[in-house]
Amino acid sequence: MDTNAIEKLIKEIEGFTPKVESEQVGRVVATGDGIVEIDGLEGALMSEVVVFEDEGASLDEATQDASTLYGLILNLEEDGVKAILLGDASRVQEGMTVKSTGHVLSIPVGEGLLGRVVNALAEPIDGKGPVKGTEMVPIERDAYGVIDRKSVDQPLQTGIKAIDAMVPIGRGQRELIIGDRFTGKTTVAIDTILNQKSEPAETRPICIYVAVGQKESKTARIQSLLQEAGAMEYTIIVDAPASAPAALQFLAPFAGAAIGEYFMDRGKDALVIYDDLSKQAIAYRELSLLLRRPPGREAYPGDIFYLHSRLLERAAKLSDEKGGGSLTALPIIETQEGDVSGYIPTNVISITDGQIFLIADLFNKGIRPAIDVGISVSRVGSAAQTKAMKSVAGTLRLSLAQFRELEAFVQFAQDLDPETAKRIDAGRRMVEILKQGKHEPLPFEKQVVSLYAATNGYLDTLPIERIQQAEGKLVDYIEHQHGGILESIRAEKKITDETKEELNAALEQFLKANAELAA
Amino acid sequence: METVYTQAVVGAVARGVSPKDAAARLRETLVRRGHEQLLPKIGRELQRELAQQKERGVPTLTVARAADESSAKREVAAVLAELGLAPADVRTTSDDSLIGGWRLRSGSIRVDASYKKQLLTLYRSLTA
């Protein structure tokens, strides 16, 4: 130990003033399944944090305790309180003393969390040491009011053509991703995070991925993927795996929101992904039943809607007076057998500003991302789209809707009139162009070029099965031979007349140089 | 359900019903509702409730060693006065894990002036 450290210790000891204060305490009456019944604590507050102490432990034992064991009061009853444990339940014994802290649950937030994996209490779990430079904020707080907000007007580019073209998401919006298991919901969310790498650093949103009730192997795979892509530098992962107590799975989304709000309050943009809220609802149901709260529909507690509404209302686009920051939320809900009329799905659909439906049938047919654009909607709409994208994607949704109607008809009809055949062919090409590889997000200027080529007939001569290959080559060609086009679209956010001329010429050249694609 | 019955009995006694009458009414209710099999559990709950009430009701002064009792009582006199307790009401116990000093507990209030607490606070501030 060096002299500086010894001097610091001496100074601390000399300056130490013992304080004798009265404390509010209670005693553990019963414990089980992560719930503790406490006798006493008459002055306890709702959602107050309490600390479990072993009064009989020696000083040596007390200093060796790795971490303080906390609880969160969720039931205030006539003759006691009930709390959920925020740690190892095996450390609690009947008769233990419980001390009131006088404050609600808070977590550390700050720039130091970037690139880290933390648990629902924002404690690091990635083995990279303590998190530095943080401040404590309550895990729950009231959402901003109407006056402090402004309309969503800036796009959040997901890098997925089908979404950015037809179901555009704006910064500050809540867009639900909903579908059965293994339909690509998490892939849509992760691709959105990966795509932010192509945003300039000053406007790039901070991404927070909240894993609730997921397999640890899945979260580890996601972390590894983000690390390899260089996306972890602007991402924080909040992990409450399936093996975590229900209390932490219930709290994790709120922690994610609190972390996102830290950046939003400082004028930055943040994106929080809740994967998934169905599991949070299940964890909250478990806690509520153990707390003996009356069960309602499907045994969920009566305030299950409020659980999600107060979480999702914290996403906002702030007014310029408040710094202009934003928090975009992408909650994920898993349906069973495509039943979107279930209790939790309908609740969250009514809260969010739109939904992206992922359909298992489309996924199994190879249409990936398996987005059903007919029933997917963004209530923010084109207010969150650049002019460039609006110009190429304007009629896309209608064309696809017409194609879907005709597609069913064509299965039974023998002869088709030329107009119908043309529409079906165009629709099939459009479906093909909207397909995208897993973890291959496309920056918006490349999407514009790709969709421009498709909607202006440049790919009509190609066989449908070669469209994806042609698209890849086309985007590469434009990037390497006509980079100015992409630069112009990126900078101006629209297709100027000069850019249009240049793009048309470039597309003609590409088709001539790649005539074998049409063969 | 036994908790509900226990609380009902305790509440009745607190309102002035005699324990004998409360027990008779409890038995009548259990028989009428067909819940006689809950009687042993209710009995255990009542025992536990009474033990807790007794525990809550008796202020306890804990010292590290029996020899420290008189000095602790002198130091704690002002605190007892603030809490409206007479020194004679206080039960004294010893716990050598305190190392020195004293700890007073009355109901939901605890005042801890033990050496263990001070040392633990100092340790946590040094290692924070």
Side-chain angles (χ1 to χ4, degrees):
Chain A
M1 194 183 280
D2 61 46
T3 14
N4 281 338
I6 295 171
E7 277 172 15
K8 190 182 168 209
L9 277 174
I10 294 171
K11 206 173 164 188
E12 287 275 342
I13 292 167
E14 282 176 351
F16 177 69
T17 316
K19 285 184 217 165
V20 178
E21 293 165 327
S22 66
E23 301 163 321
Q24 282 270 332
V25 294
R27 202 176 291 279
V28 173
V29 167
T31 179
D33 296 321
I35 305 292
V36 183
E37 281 185 50
I38 300 163
D39 180 48
L41 288 181
E42 276 110 24
L45 307 170
M46 189 63 179
S47 300
E48 184 181 352
V49 176
V50 293
V51 175
F52 292 85
E53 294 178 349
D54 182 3
E55 271 187 342
S58 66
L59 180 65
D60 196 35
E61 283 162 354
T63 53
Q64 275 174 25
D65 261 343
S67 60
T68 313
L69 183 58
Y70 293 103
L72 185 69
I73 293 177
L74 283 189
N75 264 22
L76 300 175
E77 295 171 359
E78 201 176 337
D79 58 347
V81 300
K82 282 191 180 138
I84 55 173
L85 282 169
L86 300 178
D88 183 6
S90 63
R91 290 169 63 187
V92 177
Q93 295 169 344
E94 192 190 333
M96 241 175 142
T97 299
V98 185
K99 189 179 81 172
S100 161
T101 59
H103 57 256
V104 296
L105 183 59
S106 300
I107 57 166
V109 296
E111 307 267 341
L113 284 173
L114 290 170
R116 304 299 301 270
V117 183
V118 298
N119 67 9
L121 302 176
E123 295 164 342
I125 53 172
D126 51 10
K128 291 180 185 173
V131 176
K132 296 192 172 98
T134 57
E135 60 184 70
M136 299 298 284
V137 298
I139 203 171
E140 281 218 53
R141 74 170 206 200
D142 288 344
Y144 278 102
V146 172
I147 300 297
D148 295 326
R149 298 175 189 237
K150 82 174 198 191
S151 296
V152 172
D153 58 1
Q154 253 186 304
L156 177 88
Q157 306 290 354
T158 64
I160 298 170
K161 284 174 277 186
I163 296 175
D164 293 341
M166 292 176 286
V167 196
I169 301 172
R171 297 190 185 199
Q173 186 179 350
R174 295 87 47 91
E175 182 79 7
L176 173 64
I177 302 170
I178 181 169
D180 280 359
R181 59 194 181 95
F182 301 121
T183 48
K185 301 184 295 295
T186 303
T187 303
V188 165
I190 297 304
D191 284 359
T192 305
I193 296 178
L194 291 173
N195 192 54
Q196 305 317 309
K197 186 85 180 149
S198 60
E199 287 281 325
E202 52 280 3
T203 55
R204 181 186 297 149
I206 304 295
C207 301
I208 302 134
Y209 177 76
V210 182
V212 182
Q214 304 294 335
K215 288 184 277 201
E216 300 236 38
S217 59
K218 178 182 170 184
T219 310
R221 212 167 44 242
I222 288 169
Q223 196 257 342
S224 173
L225 171 71
L226 294 175
Q227 188 76 47
E228 276 167 27
M232 274 307 288
E233 62 187 45
Y234 55 84
T235 305
I236 301 158
I237 296 178
V238 180
D239 188 26
S243 55
L248 295 183
Q249 292 187 40
F250 152 64
L251 289 171
F254 293 105
I259 293 169
E261 280 170 335
Y262 170 84
F263 295 99
M264 176 174 69
D265 291 345
R266 279 150 187 77
K268 296 187 183 173
D269 294 322
L271 164 69
V272 62
I273 293 160
Y274 303 113
D275 190 5
D276 59 62
L277 292 188
S278 313
K279 293 191 175 59
Q280 188 208 21
I282 289 168
Y284 188 56
R285 177 174 62 184
E286 182 181 322
L287 289 173
S288 299
L289 290 172
L290 289 168
L291 289 166
R292 301 268 182 190
R293 292 179 177 178
R297 178 177 165 184
E298 293 179 28
Y300 286 105
D303 62 345
I304 193 71
F305 184 97
Y306 180 52
L307 173 76
H308 290 146
S309 65
R310 72 180 190 265
L311 171 70
L312 294 172
E313 276 296 308
R314 289 164 75 174
K317 169 71 182 167
L318 297 183
S319 64
D320 296 332
E321 291 78 27
K322 282 283 177 188
S326 71
L327 178 62
T328 309
L330 294 182
I332 294 175
I333 287 282
E334 185 176 295
T335 50
Q336 305 295 324
E337 301 294 314
D339 180 21
V340 294
S341 64
Y343 187 29
I344 303 301
T346 48
N347 275 358
V348 182
I349 286 169
S350 68
I351 294 166
T352 51
D353 306 316
Q355 53 277 347
I356 296 166
F357 282 101
L358 294 161
I359 306 294
D361 278 348
L362 294 177
F363 189 89
N364 296 334
K365 279 185 199 167
I367 298 171
R368 298 171 195 181
I371 298 170
D372 187 338
V373 292
I375 52 173
S376 299
V377 72
S378 165
R379 300 186 207 199
V380 168
S382 60
Q385 261 183 338
T386 57
K387 283 186 179 162
M389 186 58 84
K390 271 188 234 187
S391 66
V392 299
T395 55
L396 211 50
R397 184 193 272 271
L398 185 61
S399 306
L400 280 171
Q402 288 172 341
F403 163 66
R404 294 252 179 270
E405 263 188 42
L406 291 172
E407 199 187 19
F409 172 72
V410 87
Q411 287 178 15
F412 302 100
Q414 294 284 340
D415 298 315
L416 297 171
D417 60 281
E419 185 59 33
T420 306
K422 192 176 160 193
R423 281 202 188 162
I424 288 169
D425 185 65
R428 284 185 180 147
R429 286 171 190 287
M430 211 49 66
V431 166
E432 208 55 35
I433 204 89
L434 290 173
K435 286 183 187 175
Q436 210 162 332
K438 189 176 176 181
H439 303 322
E440 292 175 8
L442 211 54
F444 103 93
E445 59 273 9
K446 292 183 182 177
Q447 289 185 35
V448 168
V449 163
S450 171
L451 291 172
Y452 181 91
T455 53
N456 287 278
Y458 285 96
L459 305 180
D460 287 356
T461 53
L462 304 179
I464 286 176
E465 57 275 10
R466 288 212 191 128
I467 283 181
Q468 282 207 300
Q469 180 194 4
E471 187 215 8
K473 280 189 167 182
L474 169 64
V475 167
D476 271 342
Y477 171 76
I478 299 287
E479 185 179 10
H480 292 112
Q481 307 296 333
H482 300 277
I485 294 175
L486 297 177
E487 194 51 54
S488 164
I489 295 172
R490 195 184 309 131
E492 305 284 331
K493 307 273 189 266
K494 62 182 180 182
I495 307 177
T496 60
D497 291 335
E498 298 82 38
T499 306
K500 198 171 186 175
E501 266 185 50
E502 204 185 328
L503 183 54
N504 287 339
L507 288 168
E508 297 284 351
Q509 279 174 19
F510 170 77
L511 287 173
K512 272 191 195 142
N514 291 275
E516 73 282 2
L517 287 171
Chain B
M1 200 182 288
E2 55 272 16
T3 313
V4 174
Y5 281 122
T6 308
Q7 283 175 1
V9 168
V10 168
V13 170
R15 282 191 303 275
V17 175
S18 75
K20 200 175 170 186
D21 284 343
R25 283 189 212 174
L26 171 69
R27 203 176 174 89
E28 259 178 51
T29 309
L30 289 174
V31 166
R32 193 171 63 243
R33 291 183 180 177
H35 290 164
E36 300 99 310
Q37 69 272 26
L38 290 177
L39 204 49
K41 283 187 184 174
I42 294 169
R44 282 195 291 275
E45 280 272 333
L46 274 170
Q47 272 185 321
R48 200 170 66 155
E49 179 65 27
L50 289 170
Q52 278 175 21
Q53 282 196 357
K54 198 173 165 190
E55 186 68 35
R56 266 182 244 146
V58 178
T60 307
L61 175 68
T62 309
V63 293
R65 289 169 293 277
D68 297 337
E69 186 180 333
S70 46
S71 62
K73 277 188 169 168
R74 278 197 301 277
E75 287 173 30
V76 92
V79 177
L80 287 174
E82 218 173 298
L83 294 172
L85 298 167
D89 298 337
V90 175
R91 183 184 71 187
T92 311
T93 61
S94 69
D95 177 359
D96 58 9
S97 73
L98 295 188
I99 305 171
W102 49 267
R103 184 173 63 215
L104 175 71
R105 182 143 172 189
S106 172
S108 292
I109 306 288
R110 182 179 74 180
V111 182
D112 194 340
S114 64
Y115 292 2
K116 180 174 94 169
K117 169 135 193 256
Q118 310 302 342
L119 288 168
L120 207 48
T121 308
L122 177 62
Y123 171 79
R124 285 181 180 148
S125 73
L126 291 173
T127 55

